[in-house]
Amino acid sequence: MHFQNTLAFARELDQTDPLRSFRDRFHLPAPDGRPLIYFCGNSLGLQPKTAGPVLEKEMAIWRNHGVEGWFEGGETSWYTLHRQCKDPLARIVGGRLSEVCPMNNLTINLHLLLTTFYRPTQEKYRILTIGGDFPSDQYALETHLKARGLDPDQTLVEVFPETGNQTWKTEEILRAIDENRESLALVLMSGLHYYTGQVFDMAAISRKARQYGITVGFDLAHAVGNVPLRLHDWEVDFAFWCSYKYLNSGPGGVSGMFIHEKHHTADLPRLAGWWGYEEARRFEMTKGFIPMPGADGWQVSTPNILAMAVHKAAIDITADAGMESLRSKSERLTGFLEYVLKDSGFPLEIMTPSDPAHRGCQLSLLVRKDGKAVFNRLLEQGIIGDWREPDCIRLAPTPLYNTYEEVWQVGQVFAAAGRD
Ligand SMILES: *Cc1c(COP(=O)(O)O)cnc(C)c1O
């Protein structure tokens, strides 16, 4: 699309935006009365207007029914709440109903999934990942391996971008899998890199791993609700995500797991609890663990119903918008941000790939000169992005609630900073 850096052009795009009504389904933070320009949905998505009412509904059920609340409402009861999340989740991640289940929190799910899917042998014991992945994932891998008596330095193969580059070429990752095929048990990495905003070619990585019988799992923290996913078709073995970023389920909201259908067998090793036990017999309280079929069998504890109720309300909005529509607005919205930033004349480098196929909402800017000053200037204008020391500003216009006019305003701040 041919962009123009004018307010009239931005407003024109807003008026013809098929998703424009979705903005009104969120509370826009306005601490001083004036709504902020919120470009931080990659860190904490905004509160859906339905979140408060559903919470109050569950509180009333608890207040009025006590323990009977578990079954109050039949098909919409607490007891079935995780099942009610499956349809929107399946649509968002491209999985079957049996392959997805909301549960726990992200890093906990990573440990649980490593227990199941990392099964090293004498020859095949290494884990390929990307260098500089999100710290929680690094700490989880390091400590998980140590807890199992393995040396992380001997076990992890970290792929860094070729010298001088901020981002990876798909071939670099595929080549690393090729080169290490004899020793790899698992490929485990982010599907979308939190720092650079790069989307990896999950289909190609999964295909390459499968070719050598290597298990593959993706952390979708920054990908879910951001880019279309086809986990089932890509034959990803497992995936996990958090829901408080692009899924807007609230701080520390419920995470989720995807387990490909081909692994829906009862004999996989796992760390279990009663919530993953065969539902029909759960209350017989008998000895010997029998898992629920599918992803449900990885549930451990009684679900956090209050958080899950908000999660359901939030993912309904994303599923309602549809990932294809969200994506087509997102490509344009982020493309417009790229355009106004380049047009601003402010000296910056965009780390995020310029090809829309290799990025989601977020642009990560390297601002070597006066980075913090321009970031503060954005803040003064009520624009919320995120600052990473020493010189990175991440801005994530999200298609559910951000507008082209807001993007244009961000460009104006950079242009003014460039002039001064
Ligand atoms: C946000 C994020 C996390 C956070 O993990 P929690 O367990 O939810 O605190 C982990 N990994 C990645 C890649 C993330 O982007």
Side-chain angles (χ1 to χ4, degrees):
M1 161 163 233
H2 183 70
F3 294 119
Q4 294 166 29
N5 193 359
T6 64
L7 179 57
F9 180 80
R11 287 191 170 153
E12 171 71 27
L13 286 182
D14 282 323
Q15 271 148 25
T16 54
D17 169 13
L19 294 177
R20 68 185 176 283
S21 66
F22 280 84
R23 178 173 167 88
D24 193 42
R25 292 168 76 166
F26 293 87
H27 291 289
L28 302 169
D32 305 321
R34 192 165 70 110
L36 298 174
I37 294 181
Y38 193 80
F39 277 18
C40 223
N42 56 342
S43 189
L44 181 69
L46 291 182
Q47 185 180 123
K49 287 186 179 164
T50 43
V54 298
L55 258 186
E56 179 44 39
K57 176 176 157 247
E58 306 310 344
M59 294 300 276
I61 291 172
W62 178 21
R63 193 156 61 232
N64 297 325
H65 300 275
V67 70
E68 294 301 326
W70 277 104
F71 299 100
E72 187 60 32
E75 276 310 291
T76 60
S77 67
W78 297 345
Y79 200 68
T80 65
L81 190 51
H82 67 282
R83 277 208 289 279
Q84 299 166 46
C85 293
K86 279 170 177 275
D87 177 67
L89 280 180
R91 287 196 274 147
I92 293 166
V93 304
R96 306 244 158 109
L97 294 179
S98 62
E99 292 175 323
V100 296
C101 192
M103 67 183 91
N104 313 314
N105 287 78
L106 183 151
T107 310
I108 296 292
N109 284 341
L110 171 51
H111 281 293
L112 295 176
L113 289 163
L114 281 171
T115 301
T116 298
F117 289 102
Y118 176 54
R119 287 179 307 220
T121 62
Q122 205 66 28
E123 292 79 36
K124 288 172 93 65
Y125 63 96
R126 298 178 91 187
I127 301 176
L128 184 134
T129 187
I130 47 170
D133 213 341
F134 195 85
S136 198
D137 303 54
Q138 293 189 39
Y139 307 148
L141 270 172
E142 174 194 334
T143 57
H144 192 98
L145 292 172
K146 282 187 179 160
R148 286 167 70 165
L150 295 158
D151 176 356
D153 292 337
Q154 301 295 318
T155 311
L156 294 174
V157 181
E158 292 182 306
V159 185
F160 287 91
E162 274 171 9
T163 16
N165 293 341
Q166 300 283 354
T167 54
W168 291 257
K169 294 194 189 75
T170 304
E171 305 87 80
E172 291 166 17
I173 295 169
L174 300 184
R175 199 183 323 123
I177 297 175
D178 266 323
E179 285 167 5
N180 294 283
R181 62 183 176 273
E182 304 294 340
S183 63
L184 285 178
L186 179 64
V187 172
L188 176 69
M189 57 184 274
S190 283
L192 196 154
H193 191 239
Y194 81 101
Y195 187 69
T196 62
Q198 175 176 17
V199 185
F200 295 103
D201 187 341
M202 290 174 258
I205 293 168
S206 179
R207 200 177 313 121
K208 176 62 79 179
R210 200 160 59 248
Q211 188 183 330
Y212 302 128
I214 302 163
T215 304
V216 61
F218 289 106
D219 180 334
L220 302 176
H222 276 260
V224 71
N226 180 1
V227 292
L229 300 164
R230 309 208 54 80
L231 298 181
H232 178 86
D233 295 346
W234 295 342
E235 292 193 52
V236 169
D237 292 290
F238 67 92
F240 51 102
W241 51 86
C242 53
S243 67
Y244 46 82
K245 294 172 181 168
Y246 295 102
L247 291 182
N248 314 302
S249 300
V254 180
S255 165
M257 270 191 203
F258 166 92
I259 312 269
H260 197 278
E261 210 167 58
K262 61 188 161 194
H263 299 298
H264 291 189
T265 55
D267 54 357
L268 288 174
R270 66 187 91 193
L271 296 178
W274 75 320
W275 225 262
Y277 193 88
E278 182 50 69
E279 197 176 297
R281 298 177 54 193
R282 185 175 298 149
F283 289 97
E284 291 174 15
M285 310 283 203
T286 47
K287 203 170 160 68
F289 180 73
I290 306 170
M292 297 266 289
D296 299 29
W298 273 263
Q299 295 173 98
V300 180
S301 287
T302 310
N304 182 336
I305 293 298
L306 298 180
M308 186 109 60
V310 175
H311 182 47
K312 167 76 170 55
I315 56 182
D316 278 347
I317 301 175
T318 298
D320 191 8
M323 284 313 301
E324 297 304 324
S325 313
L326 281 173
R327 175 61 173 169
S328 76
K329 176 173 173 187
S330 174
E331 285 185 9
R332 190 174 281 190
L333 197 63
T334 295
F336 189 44
L337 178 61
E338 183 180 39
Y339 178 79
V340 299
L341 287 172
K342 285 186 173 162
D343 198 48
S344 74
F346 188 87
L348 55 83
E349 188 188 320
I350 301 177
M351 259 190 269
T352 312
S354 56
D355 179 353
H358 296 293
R359 70 185 182 200
C361 300
Q362 171 186 327
L363 292 184
S364 306
L365 320 180
L366 261 186
V367 195
R368 293 216 173 81
K369 194 170 154 293
D370 300 333
K372 198 62 200 266
V374 77
F375 184 73
N376 289 336
R377 213 164 158 141
L378 290 169
L379 277 181
E380 281 159 23
Q381 299 297 315
I383 297 163
I384 309 297
D386 126 328
W387 171 255
R388 295 270 150 169
E389 292 292 346
D391 50 15
C392 172
I393 296 174
R394 297 186 306 166
L395 296 173
T398 72
L400 272 177
Y401 47 76
N402 285 125
T403 64
Y404 295 92
E405 182 169 339
E406 290 176 314
V407 168
W408 177 80
Q409 285 172 309
V410 170
Q412 293 298 298
V413 176
F414 279 90
R419 282 193 298 270
D420 293 351

